Amino acid sequence: SSECGSGFAKVMEYTQRLSIIVILPVATAIMFCVDLILSLYGPGFQKGAPVLVNIVLGVAVAGIGGVMGAAITAKGKMWFGVLLNLTWGVVLLSVVAVGAKAYGAKAFAIGFMLAYIILTTWSFIYLRKDLPRGMTARTFRVGGVLAGLTALCLISGPSVRPLIAIVIVPASVWLAWRLAGLANEADD
């Protein structure tokens, strides 16, 4: 990376690490407590778990990849930023247009999640040479964990999710610390 020792690289690194430490446990808690959260809105919302879980995944990916928008701006690559945002909108609208009639809000949630995964992936690929060493790999590892947690949440039933939450939410705090790369630094 051409700017590994610069202030730019340090800001990118710290921002991403902090994002991982905050976002992974919060997203995990919301995903696995989804039935409790939706019960607060009444019985009509009980079947909305897949919608909220996919929205949470999209927001988590956006939060962890959010530093990339600022990086693109700082690099003066505004037209690329416009193209990224246009792609995000096209993906979201396409999924909704194709799936809304059959899947309703689930189509929006899936489109939202996919749009942010594509936006974040494309951003990291585009800026990979300017990023601190290991940042892209760390992002994709966190994305893999989030995808796995989402799958586990969606295949678990409402009666099982709270039991899983008892174990997985505290474990996600430890995992976030590890994935952010801070556990290795603490050992040094």
Side-chain angles (χ1 to χ4, degrees):
S1 70
S2 60
E3 301 187 23
C4 210
S6 74
F8 173 82
K10 288 178 184 175
V11 169
M12 295 289 291
E13 187 84 23
Y14 291 132
T15 302
Q16 187 202 40
R17 287 178 176 201
L18 181 61
S19 296
I20 291 168
I21 290 168
V22 172
I23 291 169
L24 184 61
V26 171
T28 302
I30 294 170
M31 284 183 192
F32 285 92
C33 296
V34 66
D35 304 295
L36 173 64
I37 294 167
L38 291 173
S39 73
L40 299 173
Y41 294 94
F45 288 86
Q46 288 303 306
K47 293 183 180 179
V51 173
L52 183 54
V53 168
N54 279 300
I55 292 289
V56 168
L57 176 58
V59 169
V61 169
I64 291 168
V67 68
M68 301 310 288
I72 289 167
T73 302
K75 293 283 180 190
K77 305 293 184 182
M78 296 306 293
W79 284 112
F80 183 73
V82 169
L83 184 59
L84 279 173
N85 288 315
L86 182 62
T87 301
W88 178 89
V90 167
V91 170
L92 176 60
L93 292 175
S94 297
V95 173
V96 171
V98 169
K101 189 170 184 176
Y103 300 104
K106 287 180 192 173
F108 173 80
I110 291 168
F112 182 84
M113 176 257 310
L114 287 174
Y116 272 113
I117 289 172
I118 291 167
L119 177 103
T120 301
T121 302
W122 196 11
S123 298
F124 272 91
I125 290 169
Y126 180 74
L127 288 171
R128 72 186 173 281
K129 292 178 183 166
D130 296 317
L131 298 175
R133 198 181 69 168
M135 188 173 178
T136 302
R138 181 172 42 251
T139 301
F140 288 114
R141 280 193 301 274
V142 173
V145 167
L146 284 166
L149 289 169
T150 301
L152 177 62
C153 182
L154 291 173
I155 63 172
S156 304
S159 60
V160 178
R161 279 192 281 261
L163 300 173
I164 296 172
I166 292 169
V167 174
I168 202 92
V169 172
S172 72
V173 174
W174 172 83
L175 187 58
W177 187 263
R178 301 284 307 177
L179 289 168
L182 298 176
N184 298 338
E185 288 182 8
D187 295 340
D188 291 342

